Amino acid sequence: MQDNAASSLAPPSPLPKRRNAVLRLYDAPLYRDGAFWNTVGWGLIAGISIPTTPPTEPNLPTLWLDTLLAIVIMVATLGIIPAWLRLVIRRWRWSRQSPRYDVPASPAHAAQEAVVAPPLEPPGAQASPGAQAPVGAQAPPAVALSSTTAPSAQSAASVRRAPAELLADARNALPHPVARAVRALQQAYTPKEKYEALLDAAETLAITVSVTAAALLQGQVESRSGSQEYGQGLGQYNLSALRKAYLAKGVMFGTWTTWLDKLRPLAADHPDLVVGLHQALQDTPDDPGIVGHLNALREERNRAAHGNKPKSQPESALRVAECTHHLERALAKAQFLKDIPWLFTVSCVYQPRSRTFDVVAEDAMGDHPDFERRTFTWARPVGNELFYLLGPEGPVSLSPFVANLFCPQCRQMEVCYAYKVSKGSGAAIFKSFGRGHEIAAAEMGDEIRSLPDQG
């Protein structure tokens, strides 16, 4: 039997209802919106009731003025305000939901999106590919686990974490710049906003991993400056490369990924230098290291910066779907940052009896801008209002790579990273993690220029 909907004699389909399409208060089509008829009804009631009421003084101009004022007041009070309150409630409900934009994708990409979650363990601890796929399956090795995978593969996926859980954990447990960027990504509403927030989160993650490694490397170089290994070794060479970038055009996304990639020999020879960094940088046959994922996101940012930005919301959603996997894998490989917390010192008081220092510091982990205070007892002093890493051997200064500076544009204190400095005397230029505003720091210029310099 032929469907009536396909017949030319069938009645037309009703128009789809579009919420808040008329004046942002009423739904389209108007004849199907109760709020619109409520507004019209109160206007008619006010327009009819006033003229039919016997006036105390028969004055025609006064009667028309009273009628007009009554219509305006009744329509605004009982019609427009309820419609506006409905809009506010709808926006609140929409903000609590995570919108999904369905875009066409290739079968290979659909299989990639069916991944249950990225693994959190180091690449060396992952199960073998044979344990992830059923016997006799005719799928390429790169195909990820999907809902149609055999029970044995589903049990292997139980050790993985869902992407939403991974992002929530990043917001709570990673250093504040990364957690703040992940929160901005989750709060982005449109695909274009998600696209920009995703690239910002990727660059922030690259900066955070790099400055953490640089600070620990600087602490090791300073503590072992007398030894031959660290006097002329790779420690000073890597810090010197970072100094050259500061004195040139400044550090950018590509600077951080290149610098991290050159840390591989040092991380492999000295895995205790930054615990977990060697596993994060290590490539495996089926999954690149953190630098590989960050480079993929950096190429996407360069692609957008050279005139190939997404032109529409569906294209932005497609770009986000293609890049989300790289950010999730990079976040999974950066879990070692949770074991090296960031602290912002408030006070340091010497105790003569115990010859120790009582330190009050704010825990700069998580996305909340108000850091919780913690107390420590350390054997050596620290400076006030500076960022430190709490490493295995005690506090390590993040200066001059990270600082808390007042932003003249935002009119508030912002967590910033060093961007560039002049070769001669002069202030250093920092950028805020949040908005990228440039802030001059006169006292930090000499500290950056004092980094190891090897030709």
Side-chain angles (χ1 to χ4, degrees), residues 197-246:
L198 187 144
L199 296 181
D200 290 342
E203 185 173 5
T204 300
L205 179 61
I207 297 171
T208 303
V209 174
S210 299
V211 298
T212 299
L216 291 173
L217 182 59
Q218 184 186 28
Q220 292 285 347
V221 170
E222 291 177 352
S223 62
R224 307 183 188 184
S225 58
S227 64
Q228 182 178 359
E229 177 183 6
Y230 282 85
Q232 301 294 332
L234 288 174
Q236 289 195 351
Y237 170 78
N238 287 273
L239 289 176
S240 177
L242 191 58
R243 178 182 182 273
K244 291 178 181 178
Y246 282 130

Side-chain angles (χ1 to χ4, degrees), residues 119 123 126-129 132 141-142 160 283-289 293 325 329 333:
Q126 296 181 5
S128 62
Q132 295 182 0
R160 299 188 175 190
D283 293 334
T284 60
D286 56 346
D287 187 27
H293 292 292
H325 168 72
R329 294 300 303 133
K333 291 179 178 294

Side-chain angles (χ1 to χ4, degrees), residues 20 53 65-66 188 196 204 209 266 268 323 360 378 447:
N20 302 109
T53 303
L65 181 59
D66 292 343
E196 295 293 338
T204 300
V209 174
L266 183 62
C323 297
V360 178
W378 290 334
E447 192 171 352

Side-chain angles (χ1 to χ4, degrees), residues 36-309:
F36 171 74
W37 290 114
N38 176 69
T39 305
V40 173
W42 284 112
L44 292 176
I45 292 174
I48 295 174
S49 61
I50 300 299
T52 56
T53 303
T56 56
E57 297 180 1
N59 189 345
L60 187 59
T62 304
L63 179 62
W64 282 105
L65 181 59
D66 292 343
T67 303
L68 180 61
L69 290 176
I71 293 175
V72 172
I73 294 175
M74 295 286 283
V75 167
T77 305
L78 301 177
I80 296 179
I81 292 180
W84 176 77
L85 290 176
R86 181 183 67 172
L87 174 63
V88 173
I89 295 174
R90 282 178 174 178
R91 287 177 173 174
W92 175 76
R93 293 178 61 185
W94 291 336
S95 65
R96 292 176 61 88
Q97 299 175 357
S98 178
R100 178 187 175 96
Y101 294 85
D102 296 329
V103 295
S106 62
H109 179 65
Q112 181 180 3
E113 284 189 329
V115 177
V116 177
L120 293 180
E121 67 274 10
Q126 296 181 5
S128 62
Q132 295 182 0
V135 178
Q138 297 179 358
V143 174
L145 296 176
S146 64
S147 59
T148 60
T149 314
S152 60
Q154 292 178 357
S155 61
S158 62
V159 299
R160 299 188 175 190
R161 183 177 297 183
E165 184 181 353
L166 177 65
L167 295 180
D169 180 71
R171 290 182 57 174
N172 295 327
L174 289 184
H176 178 67
V178 178
R180 180 178 179 176
V182 172
R183 180 188 65 183
L185 173 61
Q186 289 187 314
Q187 291 181 343
Y189 183 72
T190 65
K192 286 188 177 180
E193 293 174 352
K194 286 182 177 294
Y195 179 75
E196 295 293 338
L198 187 144
L199 296 181
D200 290 342
E203 185 173 5
T204 300
L205 179 61
I207 297 171
T208 303
V209 174
S210 299
V211 298
T212 299
L216 291 173
L217 182 59
Q218 184 186 28
Q220 292 285 347
V221 170
E222 291 177 352
S223 62
R224 307 183 188 184
S225 58
S227 64
Q228 182 178 359
E229 177 183 6
Y230 282 85
Q232 301 294 332
L234 288 174
Q236 289 195 351
Y237 170 78
N238 287 273
L239 289 176
S240 177
L242 191 58
R243 178 182 182 273
K244 291 178 181 178
Y246 282 130
L247 295 176
K249 297 181 180 180
V251 290
M252 303 177 186
F253 200 163
T255 308
W256 298 117
T257 55
T258 303
W259 190 80
L260 279 176
D261 189 50
K262 292 183 179 180
L263 273 181
R264 295 191 189 199
L266 183 62
D269 295 340
H270 305 278
D272 59 334
L273 180 62
V274 183
V275 178
L277 180 61
H278 172 57
Q279 289 80 4
L281 294 175
Q282 186 177 10
D283 293 334
T284 60
D286 56 346
D287 187 27
I290 188 173
V291 174
H293 292 292
L294 291 176
N295 272 329
L297 296 168
R298 176 185 59 83
E299 291 174 0
E300 180 62 30
R301 164 147 285 183
N302 292 340
R303 176 185 177 188
H306 290 84
N308 195 7
K309 281 187 176 182

Side-chain angles (χ1 to χ4, degrees), residues 415-438:
V415 183
C416 308
Y417 66 93
Y419 172 54
K420 63 180 179 180
V421 66
S422 61
K423 294 183 179 181
S425 60
I429 303 298
F430 280 69
K431 278 190 176 183
S432 63
F433 279 102
R435 298 187 178 182
H437 293 163
E438 294 188 3

Side-chain angles (χ1 to χ4, degrees), residues 322-400:
E322 293 172 348
C323 297
T324 299
H325 168 72
H326 293 291
L327 179 63
E328 291 172 355
R329 294 300 303 133
L331 287 172
K333 291 179 178 294
Q335 294 296 305
F336 68 92
L337 293 175
K338 296 191 295 185
D339 300 327
I340 316 173
W342 286 27
L343 301 173
F344 184 70
T345 56
V346 177
S347 64
C348 179
V349 179
Y350 177 65
Q351 299 297 332
R353 290 179 177 268
S354 58
R355 295 183 179 181
T356 58
F357 296 86
D358 291 343
V359 178
V360 178
E362 296 177 343
D363 189 5
M365 305 291 284
D367 63 344
H368 202 285
D370 296 331
F371 304 146
E372 295 185 1
R373 292 193 174 186
R374 300 171 58 185
T375 57
F376 303 90
T377 300
W378 290 334
R380 58 178 183 267
V382 294
N384 292 336
E385 298 183 352
L386 295 175
F387 280 100
Y388 281 82
L389 297 172
L390 187 54
E393 300 179 0
V396 178
S397 177
L398 270 167
S399 182

